[in-house]
Amino acid sequence: MLEEIKISELPSVYLLDKDRLPNCAAIYFVFDSKGQIIYIGRTINLVERWKAHHRFNQLKRFNRKNTLSISWLTCSSDIENLSNLENEFIKLYKPPLNWSKVVVPIRKITPAETALQQSLQQLSKFNVMIIGFDPISDGEPPTIYLVYPVYGMKGLSGSIRTALKNINKKASSLKWKEYKTYPKSSGKFGLWETEYNGLRIDLSPFDSLVYFMEHSNRQTLAGIELMAFSREQLELILDKKEENDENTSGLEALEDDPIPVENIYRNQPLNSNYKNTIGVEPWEELEPMAEGEVRIMTRQFVYVDDIEIEVCTNDNGKYFVRHNLYLWIMYKRKNSDVPNDITIKRLTDEINRLPTIRWSGYRFRYETIRFSEDDAEVDSLLVPLAMFEDLMKDKYGVHNTNILEEIKKGEYKSKPDDSERIKLFAWLQSNSLFSLLQTNNNK
């Protein structure tokens, strides 16, 4: 068994003493002062191989800060056997330089645990959740299953793909593999896997994950905190699976971190540079009112380029606008026929058209609202203010290409005959209605 060969007990020389290497066929290992194997190779003549090794200049740079050594395992000179043995050792130890190109300037070796934490830190920004842990899996190592949110054909697979490929560019033994990709017609969602210390980590898309986020737990994996399915949520999912589904037969909720390493990010702020980071907030759906009851709210008015916007606030401080405002700005309709109108379907279709999955699955409801300032009552449905902004910032309904180009260049100036839709679309590209609101703290 290769695992029984102790690399530290093999004969070795310092990198700069390479001329002292013997004349023999061998598998050789380059390792640092901490014993980390960073490169593995094969040769039928060890000393001749190192007289002009293609990695020597690269390794010599590393040697300035961290003394490197070369150890070797003497073997037969059969090329096929040497090649097979080299591949087995590379598969076992995953040396980081075997994954990199010689021409790429590598400044440092990234430890596998650091690369893993960096991966999970990025994935946490995309609302990735831990679905569970399968400690026993036929033919596979123990596996942690992670999932990321999609809804229909929407998701952040592209952003996740970019983040993990950036991790793969590091000189590290930890690499992510996209082992399956759904076709573009199905959203081009990627399924990924990596291994760390005998533990497999699997990442896949999960339709309608937004519905599980509100009541999820928080668990750590390699010291990085992620949302995680509770035992009750996992049982609900497994009950819907076939009893003979081998992929879920041993799945259980994660309770303890199976990779107990120190969190290097504990005292560091999260990087907020990712523009595609989603904010799924299904809890902004207000609890439905009992039949015959009314919802008490307050309201205030803000103005954008002479456009009056009524903002309603519930007792939890969440902001909404009534659908009437949206209808007026988009379609110049002042009122809707509540019993027979298709407003709910139209709004649902329009938020599902947005490129983000933030509001996917949001449920609209007509209800009676009473404003506490004047006891006025209206029948309406409420649109979260952030959703209203997302709808207004979307290009849908803005057909004038000249105006779009002016807005893109920051050269747009509103004209008297421009519609409210154009004015609000332009203003929201660099502003937010939240900045205009009078909160309870500054009234």
Side-chain angles (χ1 to χ4, degrees):
M1 294 292 289
L2 298 185
E3 294 88 344
E4 296 176 356
I5 298 175
K6 297 181 179 180
I7 307 300
S8 61
E9 297 180 0
L10 294 175
S12 66
V13 299
Y14 291 122
L15 178 72
L16 299 184
D17 293 333
K18 60 186 178 65
D19 292 340
R20 296 172 52 195
L21 289 166
N23 180 348
C24 66
I27 300 295
Y28 58 86
F29 309 84
V30 181
F31 58 95
D32 62 18
S33 59
K34 297 180 180 179
Q36 179 185 5
I37 299 172
I38 64 175
Y39 189 76
I40 296 175
R42 72 177 189 274
T43 181
I44 59 172
N45 190 320
L46 188 58
V47 68
E48 289 296 324
R49 179 73 181 91
W50 277 94
K51 283 183 178 179
H53 198 287
H54 67 294
R55 291 274 180 179
F56 182 68
N57 288 333
Q58 184 184 44
L59 293 169
K60 193 162 63 170
R61 289 196 296 271
F62 289 122
N63 193 70
R64 293 170 186 169
K65 293 184 178 181
N66 191 339
T67 302
L68 302 183
S69 300
I70 306 168
S71 64
W72 64 93
L73 176 67
T74 304
C75 304
S76 72
S77 58
D78 183 276
I79 297 297
E80 184 176 351
N81 287 340
L82 276 173
S83 179
N84 291 337
L85 192 57
E86 177 195 36
N87 290 333
E88 289 298 316
F89 274 117
I90 290 174
K91 183 178 179 181
L92 176 62
Y93 290 108
K94 299 180 177 63
L97 291 191
N98 284 83
W99 296 79
S100 67
K101 297 179 181 179
V102 181
V103 295
V104 177
I106 301 173
R107 293 184 176 87
K108 65 178 182 178
I109 303 293
T110 302
E113 62 270 16
T114 301
L116 177 59
Q117 288 187 323
Q118 290 171 344
S119 306
L120 297 174
Q121 184 77 352
Q122 298 297 347
L123 293 176
S124 69
K125 301 172 188 177
F126 301 126
N127 288 337
V128 165
M129 289 183 66
I130 302 169
I131 191 170
F133 177 49
D134 189 351
I136 304 175
S137 183
D138 293 340
E140 295 285 350
T143 302
I144 292 286
Y145 288 94
L146 308 180
V147 288
Y148 63 90
V150 302
Y151 194 92
M153 289 179 59
K154 298 177 189 174
L156 285 173
S157 191
S159 298
I160 287 174
R161 185 175 291 110
T162 298
L164 295 183
K165 284 188 174 182
N166 285 338
I167 294 294
N168 285 349
K169 291 178 183 178
K170 298 177 181 293
S172 172
S173 60
L174 183 126
K175 300 295 176 184
W176 287 88
K177 176 186 176 182
E178 189 171 10
Y179 66 88
K180 182 178 179 181
T181 308
Y182 289 114
K184 190 173 182 180
S185 59
S186 300
K188 202 179 178 181
F189 300 128
L191 286 76
W192 296 80
E193 65 179 0
T194 191
E195 285 193 22
Y196 176 80
N197 278 6
L199 180 71
R200 178 174 175 267
I201 301 173
D202 182 280
L203 173 65
S204 61
F206 191 106
D207 194 31
S208 303
L209 187 63
V210 291
Y211 296 124
F212 293 89
M213 291 180 180
E214 181 180 4
H215 302 293
S216 65
N217 292 332
R218 306 293 297 188
Q219 296 288 350
T220 61
L221 179 59
I224 303 299
E225 189 175 84
L226 297 167
M227 288 185 289
F229 275 57
S230 66
R231 184 182 290 105
E232 293 75 20
Q233 288 177 323
L234 184 58
E235 288 177 355
L236 182 65
I237 294 296
L238 295 181
D239 285 344
K240 295 182 180 180
K241 296 278 188 179
E242 296 291 336
E243 290 184 2
N244 61 355
D245 187 344
E246 296 180 358
N247 292 328
T248 61
S249 59
L251 197 61
E252 56 190 46
L254 184 68
E255 295 184 355
D256 298 311
D257 192 338
I259 307 176
V261 295
E262 184 180 356
N263 182 0
I264 62 174
Y265 295 98
R266 190 177 305 279
N267 298 317
Q268 299 180 23
L270 292 178
N271 182 348
S272 59
N273 292 333
Y274 277 84
K275 295 181 180 179
N276 290 329
T277 301
I278 55 176
V280 180
E281 298 183 5
W283 50 86
E284 283 200 18
E285 291 184 10
L286 295 171
E287 290 296 322
M289 302 296 292
E291 185 175 354
E293 292 187 4
V294 299
R295 187 179 299 283
I296 308 298
M297 305 192 81
T298 59
R299 59 178 166 177
Q300 59 181 293
F301 296 89
V302 296
Y303 297 87
V304 173
D305 209 345
D306 296 327
I307 305 170
E308 183 181 78
I309 300 173
E310 176 195 63
V311 180
C312 310
T313 311
N314 73 332
D315 54 5
N316 289 329
K318 296 285 188 180
Y319 297 109
F320 299 83
V321 299
R322 292 191 291 141
H323 76 287
N324 308 68
L325 174 65
Y326 177 75
L327 291 178
W328 168 249
I329 292 176
M330 292 295 294
Y331 307 108
K332 294 301 180 186
R333 292 176 56 193
K334 291 186 176 180
N335 296 295
S336 61
D337 183 357
V338 173
N340 303 311
D341 195 67
I342 61 169
T343 303
I344 288 180
K345 182 180 184 307
R346 173 177 284 164
L347 271 172
T348 301
D349 290 344
E350 291 182 2
I351 65 167
N352 285 339
R353 188 193 64 245
L354 293 174
T356 175
I357 68 167
R358 177 175 183 176
W359 304 107
S360 298
Y362 190 91
R363 292 178 289 270
F364 296 99
R365 293 185 300 269
Y366 278 110
E367 56 189 8
T368 302
I369 302 164
R370 177 184 298 158
F371 295 108
S372 58
E373 294 90 345
D374 51 16
D375 283 337
E377 283 192 7
V378 293
D379 289 327
S380 187
L381 59 85
L382 295 168
V383 179
L385 184 58
M387 179 193 291
F388 176 74
E389 284 195 346
D390 286 349
L391 288 166
M392 291 293 102
K393 286 189 291 187
D394 188 49
K395 291 182 181 179
Y396 180 76
V398 181
H399 305 297
N400 190 314
T401 55
N402 292 331
I403 289 180
L404 284 173
E405 191 63 25
E406 290 176 6
I407 294 171
K408 183 178 180 181
K409 295 179 179 178
E411 300 173 352
Y412 171 78
K413 294 183 179 179
S414 63
K415 296 172 280 295
D417 57 344
D418 285 346
S419 67
E420 288 86 351
R421 173 74 181 105
I422 293 289
K423 293 178 181 179
L424 195 52
F425 170 80
W427 188 84
L428 284 170
Q429 299 309 306
S430 56
N431 298 281
S432 172
L433 294 169
F434 287 90
S435 65
L436 305 178
L437 295 176
Q438 182 180 23
T439 64
N440 291 329
N441 294 329
N442 58 22
K443 284 185 178 181

